[in-house]
Amino acid sequence: MLQINCDVSPMKEELKLHLKQIADQIHRSLEDINNEDHCLLSQFDEIRDSFNKMESIAASFYLQCYLSSFTNNYLDLSVSIQHLSERRHGALIVVERKDPLDMFLHSGIQLEATLTSSLLESVFFPGSPLHDGAVLVRSDRIVSAANVLPVSHIAVEKKLGTRHRAAIGLTEVTDALVLVVSEETGKTSFAFKGTLHPINAVDAIVEMEKAR
């Protein structure tokens, strides 16, 4: 298993660099705002682009840090999430880390198959007998599908659906990481330690990983 040292990761240094660049851009805007002949809109556009790029780097960095010790198939997970998001196919993917999850998952159907993006996408294809519920990933294998997860009982946003509540619920009581794709919006996110984090640049993450 290839483990990423997050403390010395090149992506962490890249994040620091982008944060400094954004801080410099904002500082320049604060100076320019007193100049009535200078329009800030183009600078805001540049800052927005910088934030978007930094967000894709940050999402890739944190996902790698949280997953690299537990699966070698990080790229397959990223590709499948990208495709499911583009097609708005709802998905719930549980990646087991140190804590055993068997006691928290119920009614699953055993698969014991090698983890590939194509298999994950077929599991969550609408109408598939396995598309409801969560897939359990352990190391580089899909252990089971159609699992029922514990739903969070802590107050969360009312707009969150069952998948998101289940992702939060499992990560409140285990160290698992849960990837979620919304079938209503196609938006992607991951839950870790009871908190839901957005992934707003999945396509950029995939391109970054393919280039490594």
PDB file of all heavy atoms in Angstrom, residues 14-30 43-58:
ATOM      1  N   GLU A  14       2.081  23.151  -2.404  1.00  0.00           N
ATOM      2  CA  GLU A  14       1.367  23.820  -3.490  1.00  0.00           C
ATOM      3  C   GLU A  14       0.173  24.595  -2.946  1.00  0.00           C
ATOM      4  O   GLU A  14      -0.123  25.708  -3.394  1.00  0.00           O
ATOM      5  CB  GLU A  14       0.915  22.778  -4.521  1.00  0.00           C
ATOM      6  CG  GLU A  14       0.549  23.350  -5.866  1.00  0.00           C
ATOM      7  CD  GLU A  14       0.265  22.275  -6.906  1.00  0.00           C
ATOM      8  OE1 GLU A  14       0.536  21.083  -6.636  1.00  0.00           O
ATOM      9  OE2 GLU A  14      -0.236  22.633  -7.990  1.00  0.00           O
ATOM     10  N   LEU A  15      -0.518  24.006  -1.962  1.00  0.00           N
ATOM     11  CA  LEU A  15      -1.645  24.689  -1.332  1.00  0.00           C
ATOM     12  C   LEU A  15      -1.182  25.969  -0.643  1.00  0.00           C
ATOM     13  O   LEU A  15      -1.832  27.022  -0.755  1.00  0.00           O
ATOM     14  CB  LEU A  15      -2.298  23.763  -0.301  1.00  0.00           C
ATOM     15  CG  LEU A  15      -3.447  22.878  -0.775  1.00  0.00           C
ATOM     16  CD1 LEU A  15      -3.901  21.977   0.359  1.00  0.00           C
ATOM     17  CD2 LEU A  15      -4.595  23.713  -1.290  1.00  0.00           C
ATOM     18  N   LYS A  16      -0.077  25.888   0.078  1.00  0.00           N
ATOM     19  CA  LYS A  16       0.453  27.069   0.760  1.00  0.00           C
ATOM     20  C   LYS A  16       0.771  28.170  -0.235  1.00  0.00           C
ATOM     21  O   LYS A  16       0.488  29.347   0.002  1.00  0.00           O
ATOM     22  CB  LYS A  16       1.715  26.696   1.548  1.00  0.00           C
ATOM     23  CG  LYS A  16       1.477  25.823   2.762  1.00  0.00           C
ATOM     24  CD  LYS A  16       2.795  25.513   3.453  1.00  0.00           C
ATOM     25  CE  LYS A  16       2.614  24.607   4.660  1.00  0.00           C
ATOM     26  NZ  LYS A  16       3.914  24.275   5.296  1.00  0.00           N
ATOM     27  N   LEU A  17       1.358  27.783  -1.371  1.00  0.00           N
ATOM     28  CA  LEU A  17       1.712  28.752  -2.403  1.00  0.00           C
ATOM     29  C   LEU A  17       0.469  29.435  -2.964  1.00  0.00           C
ATOM     30  O   LEU A  17       0.439  30.669  -3.123  1.00  0.00           O
ATOM     31  CB  LEU A  17       2.489  28.052  -3.518  1.00  0.00           C
ATOM     32  CG  LEU A  17       2.903  28.934  -4.719  1.00  0.00           C
ATOM     33  CD1 LEU A  17       3.832  30.049  -4.249  1.00  0.00           C
ATOM     34  CD2 LEU A  17       3.585  28.077  -5.782  1.00  0.00           C
ATOM     35  N   HIS A  18      -0.585  28.645  -3.239  1.00  0.00           N
ATOM     36  CA  HIS A  18      -1.815  29.212  -3.786  1.00  0.00           C
ATOM     37  C   HIS A  18      -2.501  30.121  -2.763  1.00  0.00           C
ATOM     38  O   HIS A  18      -3.052  31.161  -3.133  1.00  0.00           O
ATOM     39  CB  HIS A  18      -2.762  28.102  -4.225  1.00  0.00           C
ATOM     40  CG  HIS A  18      -2.454  27.559  -5.583  1.00  0.00           C
ATOM     41  ND1 HIS A  18      -2.809  28.206  -6.746  1.00  0.00           N
ATOM     42  CD2 HIS A  18      -1.796  26.445  -5.972  1.00  0.00           C
ATOM     43  CE1 HIS A  18      -2.401  27.508  -7.792  1.00  0.00           C
ATOM     44  NE2 HIS A  18      -1.777  26.439  -7.345  1.00  0.00           N
ATOM     45  N   LEU A  19      -2.474  29.743  -1.489  1.00  0.00           N
ATOM     46  CA  LEU A  19      -3.061  30.588  -0.450  1.00  0.00           C
ATOM     47  C   LEU A  19      -2.341  31.930  -0.371  1.00  0.00           C
ATOM     48  O   LEU A  19      -2.971  32.985  -0.224  1.00  0.00           O
ATOM     49  CB  LEU A  19      -2.999  29.881   0.907  1.00  0.00           C
ATOM     50  CG  LEU A  19      -4.058  28.805   1.152  1.00  0.00           C
ATOM     51  CD1 LEU A  19      -3.718  28.000   2.402  1.00  0.00           C
ATOM     52  CD2 LEU A  19      -5.443  29.440   1.312  1.00  0.00           C
ATOM     53  N   LYS A  20      -1.018  31.890  -0.487  1.00  0.00           N
ATOM     54  CA  LYS A  20      -0.241  33.130  -0.451  1.00  0.00           C
ATOM     55  C   LYS A  20      -0.564  33.999  -1.673  1.00  0.00           C
ATOM     56  O   LYS A  20      -0.700  35.224  -1.544  1.00  0.00           O
ATOM     57  CB  LYS A  20       1.256  32.825  -0.405  1.00  0.00           C
ATOM     58  CG  LYS A  20       2.135  34.065  -0.241  1.00  0.00           C
ATOM     59  CD  LYS A  20       3.594  33.706  -0.159  1.00  0.00           C
ATOM     60  CE  LYS A  20       4.445  34.967   0.070  1.00  0.00           C
ATOM     61  NZ  LYS A  20       4.231  36.015  -0.938  1.00  0.00           N
ATOM     62  N   GLN A  21      -0.684  33.359  -2.844  1.00  0.00           N
ATOM     63  CA  GLN A  21      -1.013  34.113  -4.057  1.00  0.00           C
ATOM     64  C   GLN A  21      -2.378  34.782  -3.935  1.00  0.00           C
ATOM     65  O   GLN A  21      -2.561  35.941  -4.345  1.00  0.00           O
ATOM     66  CB  GLN A  21      -0.980  33.189  -5.272  1.00  0.00           C
ATOM     67  CG  GLN A  21       0.427  32.734  -5.665  1.00  0.00           C
ATOM     68  CD  GLN A  21       0.418  31.706  -6.780  1.00  0.00           C
ATOM     69  OE1 GLN A  21      -0.620  31.091  -7.078  1.00  0.00           O
ATOM     70  NE2 GLN A  21       1.570  31.497  -7.401  1.00  0.00           N
ATOM     71  N   ILE A  22      -3.362  34.047  -3.366  1.00  0.00           N
ATOM     72  CA  ILE A  22      -4.698  34.617  -3.187  1.00  0.00           C
ATOM     73  C   ILE A  22      -4.655  35.769  -2.197  1.00  0.00           C
ATOM     74  O   ILE A  22      -5.301  36.811  -2.393  1.00  0.00           O
ATOM     75  CB  ILE A  22      -5.686  33.526  -2.730  1.00  0.00           C
ATOM     76  CG1 ILE A  22      -5.949  32.543  -3.870  1.00  0.00           C
ATOM     77  CG2 ILE A  22      -7.001  34.150  -2.263  1.00  0.00           C
ATOM     78  CD1 ILE A  22      -6.735  31.319  -3.459  1.00  0.00           C
ATOM     79  N   ALA A  23      -3.883  35.602  -1.124  1.00  0.00           N
ATOM     80  CA  ALA A  23      -3.744  36.682  -0.137  1.00  0.00           C
ATOM     81  C   ALA A  23      -3.149  37.934  -0.793  1.00  0.00           C
ATOM     82  O   ALA A  23      -3.596  39.058  -0.519  1.00  0.00           O
ATOM     83  CB  ALA A  23      -2.866  36.225   1.024  1.00  0.00           C
ATOM     84  N   ASP A  24      -2.170  37.734  -1.662  1.00  0.00           N
ATOM     85  CA  ASP A  24      -1.555  38.865  -2.372  1.00  0.00           C
ATOM     86  C   ASP A  24      -2.569  39.530  -3.310  1.00  0.00           C
ATOM     87  O   ASP A  24      -2.613  40.763  -3.420  1.00  0.00           O
ATOM     88  CB  ASP A  24      -0.337  38.393  -3.175  1.00  0.00           C
ATOM     89  CG  ASP A  24       0.825  37.983  -2.292  1.00  0.00           C
ATOM     90  OD1 ASP A  24       0.838  38.386  -1.104  1.00  0.00           O
ATOM     91  OD2 ASP A  24       1.718  37.247  -2.782  1.00  0.00           O
ATOM     92  N   GLN A  25      -3.379  38.703  -3.995  1.00  0.00           N
ATOM     93  CA  GLN A  25      -4.391  39.255  -4.897  1.00  0.00           C
ATOM     94  C   GLN A  25      -5.417  40.082  -4.129  1.00  0.00           C
ATOM     95  O   GLN A  25      -5.829  41.161  -4.571  1.00  0.00           O
ATOM     96  CB  GLN A  25      -5.093  38.117  -5.651  1.00  0.00           C
ATOM     97  CG  GLN A  25      -4.241  37.455  -6.723  1.00  0.00           C
ATOM     98  CD  GLN A  25      -4.927  36.242  -7.325  1.00  0.00           C
ATOM     99  OE1 GLN A  25      -5.388  35.341  -6.609  1.00  0.00           O
ATOM    100  NE2 GLN A  25      -5.006  36.208  -8.641  1.00  0.00           N
ATOM    101  N   ILE A  26      -5.845  39.585  -2.978  1.00  0.00           N
ATOM    102  CA  ILE A  26      -6.826  40.309  -2.163  1.00  0.00           C
ATOM    103  C   ILE A  26      -6.213  41.603  -1.633  1.00  0.00           C
ATOM    104  O   ILE A  26      -6.871  42.659  -1.596  1.00  0.00           O
ATOM    105  CB  ILE A  26      -7.318  39.416  -1.005  1.00  0.00           C
ATOM    106  CG1 ILE A  26      -8.142  38.246  -1.562  1.00  0.00           C
ATOM    107  CG2 ILE A  26      -8.150  40.222  -0.010  1.00  0.00           C
ATOM    108  CD1 ILE A  26      -8.541  37.211  -0.529  1.00  0.00           C
ATOM    109  N   HIS A  27      -4.939  41.541  -1.236  1.00  0.00           N
ATOM    110  CA  HIS A  27      -4.260  42.742  -0.738  1.00  0.00           C
ATOM    111  C   HIS A  27      -4.191  43.814  -1.827  1.00  0.00           C
ATOM    112  O   HIS A  27      -4.434  45.003  -1.561  1.00  0.00           O
ATOM    113  CB  HIS A  27      -2.846  42.382  -0.265  1.00  0.00           C
ATOM    114  CG  HIS A  27      -2.087  43.546   0.294  1.00  0.00           C
ATOM    115  ND1 HIS A  27      -2.406  44.137   1.499  1.00  0.00           N
ATOM    116  CD2 HIS A  27      -1.026  44.244  -0.211  1.00  0.00           C
ATOM    117  CE1 HIS A  27      -1.584  45.147   1.721  1.00  0.00           C
ATOM    118  NE2 HIS A  27      -0.740  45.229   0.701  1.00  0.00           N
ATOM    119  N   ARG A  28      -3.897  43.392  -3.063  1.00  0.00           N
ATOM    120  CA  ARG A  28      -3.849  44.349  -4.165  1.00  0.00           C
ATOM    121  C   ARG A  28      -5.229  44.971  -4.408  1.00  0.00           C
ATOM    122  O   ARG A  28      -5.350  46.165  -4.685  1.00  0.00           O
ATOM    123  CB  ARG A  28      -3.350  43.673  -5.450  1.00  0.00           C
ATOM    124  CG  ARG A  28      -1.854  43.407  -5.455  1.00  0.00           C
ATOM    125  CD  ARG A  28      -1.352  43.133  -6.870  1.00  0.00           C
ATOM    126  NE  ARG A  28      -2.017  41.978  -7.474  1.00  0.00           N
ATOM    127  CZ  ARG A  28      -1.587  40.735  -7.344  1.00  0.00           C
ATOM    128  NH1 ARG A  28      -0.496  40.471  -6.612  1.00  0.00           N
ATOM    129  NH2 ARG A  28      -2.227  39.737  -7.925  1.00  0.00           N
ATOM    130  N   SER A  29      -6.264  44.163  -4.288  1.00  0.00           N
ATOM    131  CA  SER A  29      -7.627  44.671  -4.479  1.00  0.00           C
ATOM    132  C   SER A  29      -7.989  45.698  -3.413  1.00  0.00           C
ATOM    133  O   SER A  29      -8.662  46.698  -3.688  1.00  0.00           O
ATOM    134  CB  SER A  29      -8.635  43.518  -4.461  1.00  0.00           C
ATOM    135  OG  SER A  29      -8.425  42.642  -5.549  1.00  0.00           O
ATOM    136  N   LEU A  30      -7.549  45.438  -2.177  1.00  0.00           N
ATOM    137  CA  LEU A  30      -7.812  46.395  -1.096  1.00  0.00           C
ATOM    138  C   LEU A  30      -7.123  47.731  -1.360  1.00  0.00           C
ATOM    139  O   LEU A  30      -7.665  48.796  -1.024  1.00  0.00           O
ATOM    140  CB  LEU A  30      -7.322  45.812   0.243  1.00  0.00           C
ATOM    141  CG  LEU A  30      -8.187  44.709   0.859  1.00  0.00           C
ATOM    142  CD1 LEU A  30      -7.471  44.059   2.028  1.00  0.00           C
ATOM    143  CD2 LEU A  30      -9.530  45.288   1.317  1.00  0.00           C
ATOM    144  N   GLN A  43     -10.234  41.611 -11.360  1.00  0.00           N
ATOM    145  CA  GLN A  43      -9.424  41.036 -10.290  1.00  0.00           C
ATOM    146  C   GLN A  43     -10.225  40.000  -9.502  1.00  0.00           C
ATOM    147  O   GLN A  43      -9.695  38.975  -9.094  1.00  0.00           O
ATOM    148  CB  GLN A  43      -8.917  42.148  -9.356  1.00  0.00           C
ATOM    149  CG  GLN A  43      -7.844  43.011  -9.985  1.00  0.00           C
ATOM    150  CD  GLN A  43      -7.434  44.173  -9.113  1.00  0.00           C
ATOM    151  OE1 GLN A  43      -7.530  45.326  -9.511  1.00  0.00           O
ATOM    152  NE2 GLN A  43      -6.974  43.887  -7.920  1.00  0.00           N
ATOM    153  N   PHE A  44     -11.516  40.297  -9.291  1.00  0.00           N
ATOM    154  CA  PHE A  44     -12.367  39.320  -8.606  1.00  0.00           C
ATOM    155  C   PHE A  44     -12.437  38.020  -9.409  1.00  0.00           C
ATOM    156  O   PHE A  44     -12.456  36.923  -8.849  1.00  0.00           O
ATOM    157  CB  PHE A  44     -13.777  39.878  -8.404  1.00  0.00           C
ATOM    158  CG  PHE A  44     -13.856  41.001  -7.421  1.00  0.00           C
ATOM    159  CD1 PHE A  44     -14.932  41.874  -7.418  1.00  0.00           C
ATOM    160  CD2 PHE A  44     -12.854  41.195  -6.480  1.00  0.00           C
ATOM    161  CE1 PHE A  44     -15.012  42.906  -6.512  1.00  0.00           C
ATOM    162  CE2 PHE A  44     -12.923  42.234  -5.562  1.00  0.00           C
ATOM    163  CZ  PHE A  44     -13.998  43.090  -5.579  1.00  0.00           C
ATOM    164  N   ASP A  45     -12.478  38.161 -10.734  1.00  0.00           N
ATOM    165  CA  ASP A  45     -12.522  36.984 -11.604  1.00  0.00           C
ATOM    166  C   ASP A  45     -11.245  36.166 -11.455  1.00  0.00           C
ATOM    167  O   ASP A  45     -11.281  34.938 -11.400  1.00  0.00           O
ATOM    168  CB  ASP A  45     -12.697  37.429 -13.055  1.00  0.00           C
ATOM    169  CG  ASP A  45     -13.294  36.350 -13.925  1.00  0.00           C
ATOM    170  OD1 ASP A  45     -14.204  35.646 -13.451  1.00  0.00           O
ATOM    171  OD2 ASP A  45     -12.839  36.200 -15.068  1.00  0.00           O
ATOM    172  N   GLU A  46     -10.107  36.838 -11.371  1.00  0.00           N
ATOM    173  CA  GLU A  46      -8.832  36.149 -11.184  1.00  0.00           C
ATOM    174  C   GLU A  46      -8.789  35.454  -9.831  1.00  0.00           C
ATOM    175  O   GLU A  46      -8.299  34.315  -9.712  1.00  0.00           O
ATOM    176  CB  GLU A  46      -7.681  37.157 -11.284  1.00  0.00           C
ATOM    177  CG  GLU A  46      -7.469  37.722 -12.684  1.00  0.00           C
ATOM    178  CD  GLU A  46      -6.415  38.815 -12.710  1.00  0.00           C
ATOM    179  OE1 GLU A  46      -5.822  39.077 -11.634  1.00  0.00           O
ATOM    180  OE2 GLU A  46      -6.191  39.397 -13.784  1.00  0.00           O
ATOM    181  N   ILE A  47      -9.295  36.124  -8.791  1.00  0.00           N
ATOM    182  CA  ILE A  47      -9.316  35.530  -7.452  1.00  0.00           C
ATOM    183  C   ILE A  47     -10.209  34.298  -7.434  1.00  0.00           C
ATOM    184  O   ILE A  47      -9.880  33.268  -6.836  1.00  0.00           O
ATOM    185  CB  ILE A  47      -9.789  36.568  -6.407  1.00  0.00           C
ATOM    186  CG1 ILE A  47      -8.745  37.686  -6.269  1.00  0.00           C
ATOM    187  CG2 ILE A  47     -10.034  35.897  -5.057  1.00  0.00           C
ATOM    188  CD1 ILE A  47      -9.202  38.862  -5.418  1.00  0.00           C
ATOM    189  N   ARG A  48     -11.359  34.375  -8.118  1.00  0.00           N
ATOM    190  CA  ARG A  48     -12.268  33.229  -8.194  1.00  0.00           C
ATOM    191  C   ARG A  48     -11.589  32.041  -8.867  1.00  0.00           C
ATOM    192  O   ARG A  48     -11.691  30.906  -8.403  1.00  0.00           O
ATOM    193  CB  ARG A  48     -13.543  33.616  -8.953  1.00  0.00           C
ATOM    194  CG  ARG A  48     -14.625  32.520  -8.938  1.00  0.00           C
ATOM    195  CD  ARG A  48     -15.835  32.920  -9.767  1.00  0.00           C
ATOM    196  NE  ARG A  48     -16.401  34.181  -9.329  1.00  0.00           N
ATOM    197  CZ  ARG A  48     -16.327  35.335  -9.990  1.00  0.00           C
ATOM    198  NH1 ARG A  48     -15.688  35.371 -11.156  1.00  0.00           N
ATOM    199  NH2 ARG A  48     -16.883  36.421  -9.526  1.00  0.00           N
ATOM    200  N   ASP A  49     -10.882  32.296  -9.965  1.00  0.00           N
ATOM    201  CA  ASP A  49     -10.159  31.220 -10.653  1.00  0.00           C
ATOM    202  C   ASP A  49      -9.098  30.599  -9.739  1.00  0.00           C
ATOM    203  O   ASP A  49      -8.903  29.382  -9.735  1.00  0.00           O
ATOM    204  CB  ASP A  49      -9.488  31.752 -11.924  1.00  0.00           C
ATOM    205  CG  ASP A  49     -10.494  32.077 -13.012  1.00  0.00           C
ATOM    206  OD1 ASP A  49     -11.643  31.595 -12.924  1.00  0.00           O
ATOM    207  OD2 ASP A  49     -10.129  32.823 -13.952  1.00  0.00           O
ATOM    208  N   SER A  50      -8.423  31.441  -8.972  1.00  0.00           N
ATOM    209  CA  SER A  50      -7.397  30.947  -8.052  1.00  0.00           C
ATOM    210  C   SER A  50      -8.015  30.081  -6.963  1.00  0.00           C
ATOM    211  O   SER A  50      -7.466  29.039  -6.596  1.00  0.00           O
ATOM    212  CB  SER A  50      -6.645  32.124  -7.409  1.00  0.00           C
ATOM    213  OG  SER A  50      -5.950  32.878  -8.382  1.00  0.00           O
ATOM    214  N   PHE A  51      -9.180  30.511  -6.456  1.00  0.00           N
ATOM    215  CA  PHE A  51      -9.879  29.713  -5.440  1.00  0.00           C
ATOM    216  C   PHE A  51     -10.297  28.355  -6.012  1.00  0.00           C
ATOM    217  O   PHE A  51     -10.160  27.320  -5.347  1.00  0.00           O
ATOM    218  CB  PHE A  51     -11.111  30.461  -4.923  1.00  0.00           C
ATOM    219  CG  PHE A  51     -10.863  31.247  -3.673  1.00  0.00           C
ATOM    220  CD1 PHE A  51     -10.931  32.634  -3.676  1.00  0.00           C
ATOM    221  CD2 PHE A  51     -10.557  30.609  -2.491  1.00  0.00           C
ATOM    222  CE1 PHE A  51     -10.690  33.370  -2.532  1.00  0.00           C
ATOM    223  CE2 PHE A  51     -10.330  31.330  -1.328  1.00  0.00           C
ATOM    224  CZ  PHE A  51     -10.389  32.711  -1.345  1.00  0.00           C
ATOM    225  N   ASN A  52     -10.813  28.352  -7.234  1.00  0.00           N
ATOM    226  CA  ASN A  52     -11.260  27.096  -7.846  1.00  0.00           C
ATOM    227  C   ASN A  52     -10.097  26.122  -8.012  1.00  0.00           C
ATOM    228  O   ASN A  52     -10.230  24.927  -7.747  1.00  0.00           O
ATOM    229  CB  ASN A  52     -11.909  27.380  -9.205  1.00  0.00           C
ATOM    230  CG  ASN A  52     -13.252  28.067  -9.078  1.00  0.00           C
ATOM    231  OD1 ASN A  52     -13.882  28.003  -8.028  1.00  0.00           O
ATOM    232  ND2 ASN A  52     -13.688  28.733 -10.132  1.00  0.00           N
ATOM    233  N   LYS A  53      -8.960  26.637  -8.464  1.00  0.00           N
ATOM    234  CA  LYS A  53      -7.783  25.777  -8.634  1.00  0.00           C
ATOM    235  C   LYS A  53      -7.309  25.250  -7.287  1.00  0.00           C
ATOM    236  O   LYS A  53      -6.974  24.069  -7.141  1.00  0.00           O
ATOM    237  CB  LYS A  53      -6.667  26.547  -9.327  1.00  0.00           C
ATOM    238  CG  LYS A  53      -5.457  25.685  -9.666  1.00  0.00           C
ATOM    239  CD  LYS A  53      -4.451  26.435 -10.517  1.00  0.00           C
ATOM    240  CE  LYS A  53      -3.277  25.511 -10.895  1.00  0.00           C
ATOM    241  NZ  LYS A  53      -2.287  26.220 -11.740  1.00  0.00           N
ATOM    242  N   MET A  54      -7.286  26.126  -6.281  1.00  0.00           N
ATOM    243  CA  MET A  54      -6.844  25.710  -4.958  1.00  0.00           C
ATOM    244  C   MET A  54      -7.784  24.661  -4.367  1.00  0.00           C
ATOM    245  O   MET A  54      -7.352  23.727  -3.689  1.00  0.00           O
ATOM    246  CB  MET A  54      -6.766  26.923  -4.024  1.00  0.00           C
ATOM    247  CG  MET A  54      -6.206  26.580  -2.642  1.00  0.00           C
ATOM    248  SD  MET A  54      -6.178  28.018  -1.564  1.00  0.00           S
ATOM    249  CE  MET A  54      -7.935  28.308  -1.356  1.00  0.00           C
ATOM    250  N   GLU A  55      -9.077  24.813  -4.649  1.00  0.00           N
ATOM    251  CA  GLU A  55     -10.065  23.875  -4.114  1.00  0.00           C
ATOM    252  C   GLU A  55      -9.846  22.469  -4.658  1.00  0.00           C
ATOM    253  O   GLU A  55      -9.939  21.484  -3.931  1.00  0.00           O
ATOM    254  CB  GLU A  55     -11.471  24.360  -4.453  1.00  0.00           C
ATOM    255  CG  GLU A  55     -12.559  23.596  -3.727  1.00  0.00           C
ATOM    256  CD  GLU A  55     -13.913  24.244  -3.928  1.00  0.00           C
ATOM    257  OE1 GLU A  55     -14.162  24.799  -5.009  1.00  0.00           O
ATOM    258  OE2 GLU A  55     -14.726  24.179  -3.002  1.00  0.00           O
ATOM    259  N   SER A  56      -9.523  22.357  -5.952  1.00  0.00           N
ATOM    260  CA  SER A  56      -9.272  21.038  -6.536  1.00  0.00           C
ATOM    261  C   SER A  56      -8.007  20.417  -5.949  1.00  0.00           C
ATOM    262  O   SER A  56      -7.958  19.207  -5.692  1.00  0.00           O
ATOM    263  CB  SER A  56      -9.175  21.128  -8.055  1.00  0.00           C
ATOM    264  OG  SER A  56      -8.058  21.900  -8.448  1.00  0.00           O
ATOM    265  N   ILE A  57      -6.988  21.234  -5.725  1.00  0.00           N
ATOM    266  CA  ILE A  57      -5.755  20.734  -5.108  1.00  0.00           C
ATOM    267  C   ILE A  57      -6.028  20.285  -3.680  1.00  0.00           C
ATOM    268  O   ILE A  57      -5.576  19.224  -3.245  1.00  0.00           O
ATOM    269  CB  ILE A  57      -4.660  21.822  -5.129  1.00  0.00           C
ATOM    270  CG1 ILE A  57      -4.264  22.166  -6.563  1.00  0.00           C
ATOM    271  CG2 ILE A  57      -3.424  21.358  -4.355  1.00  0.00           C
ATOM    272  CD1 ILE A  57      -3.377  23.387  -6.679  1.00  0.00           C
ATOM    273  N   ALA A  58      -6.811  21.085  -2.941  1.00  0.00           N
ATOM    274  CA  ALA A  58      -7.115  20.754  -1.549  1.00  0.00           C
ATOM    275  C   ALA A  58      -7.909  19.459  -1.449  1.00  0.00           C
ATOM    276  O   ALA A  58      -7.618  18.601  -0.597  1.00  0.00           O
ATOM    277  CB  ALA A  58      -7.892  21.897  -0.897  1.00  0.00           C
TER     278      ALA A  58
END
